[in-house]
Amino acid sequence: MTIYDTNNIFAKILRGELPCHKVYEDEHTLAFLDIMPRSPGHTLVIPKQPARNILDIDPDSLAHVARTAKKIAIAGKKAFNADGITLQQFSEQAGGQVVFHLHVHIMPRVEGVALLPAASRKEDVKVLEDHATRLIAALKG
Ligand code: 5GP
């Protein structure tokens, strides 16, 4: 079993050592915007409990992530007037994982609009601020 690296980027975000555009937080999970969004509102949900990916995460921690993912999906559909939502989770390098703290991608989708390629473009900070504000408002209902 490959071990969890406590110095991965998302662990640093959780410890407050790196900034993020936070959208939602509870006792078990944190949701923040992807800095290279593949669609407007592209959000990452992570567990607070350390886990590398689907292969080692505690099932209860995964259930908390799933609950938060559903909240974010509903808020994302509303905030971005989306027609649908794409969820993705990659595990290990061969599975497409780049950052080794479990995360679920939640991407609002508009009919006929393709996702941007992964990690293709760092979004403008002002745009990310606006998207976070819209998601936070949608989460409030
Ligand atoms: P994955 O590991 O599932 O392939 O993807 C990692 C994701 O993290 C990518 O979508 C990438 O854009 C995003 N990402 C990489 N570094 C950072 C960062 O420092 N902050 C945020 N918010 N997202 C990041």
Side-chain angles (χ1 to χ4, degrees):
M1 170 70 97
T2 317
I3 55 160
Y4 178 81
D5 171 14
T6 55
N7 279 322
N8 74 76
I9 298 168
F10 296 166
K12 288 182 179 176
I13 287 175
L14 272 175
R15 291 196 295 267
E17 295 166 11
L18 288 176
C20 73
H21 294 275
K22 183 166 85 174
V23 168
Y24 174 85
E25 181 172 17
D26 62 24
E27 190 186 345
H28 302 287
T29 63
L30 176 68
F32 53 94
L33 294 181
D34 195 299
I35 46 163
M36 292 178 270
R38 300 186 65 193
S39 73
H42 181 169
T43 302
L44 303 171
V45 176
I46 68 173
K48 290 191 173 176
Q49 193 175 87
R52 193 172 154 89
N53 54 44
I54 196 73
L55 301 170
D56 66 335
I57 190 169
D58 170 77
D60 288 338
S61 185
L62 181 61
H64 291 303
V65 170
R67 277 192 199 92
T68 299
K70 182 172 170 67
K71 282 190 187 38
I72 300 296
I74 291 167
K77 186 168 184 297
K78 185 175 169 192
F80 296 92
N81 201 20
D83 301 306
I85 299 290
T86 296
L87 254 71
Q88 286 184 323
Q89 194 285 315
F90 304 123
S91 290
E92 295 302 328
Q93 194 176 321
Q97 187 173 17
V98 175
V99 178
F100 293 95
H101 180 110
L102 181 133
H103 50 282
V104 173
H105 297 257
I106 294 148
M107 295 169 278
R109 302 295 303 276
V110 171
E111 198 69 55
V113 179
L115 289 175
L116 290 174
S120 56
R121 182 177 154 266
K122 213 166 170 181
E123 187 55 276
D124 185 78
V125 169
K126 288 277 168 218
V127 173
L128 291 177
E129 279 170 8
D130 173 60
H131 288 178
T133 301
R134 283 159 69 171
L135 278 163
I136 290 164
L139 280 162
K140 284 181 182 154

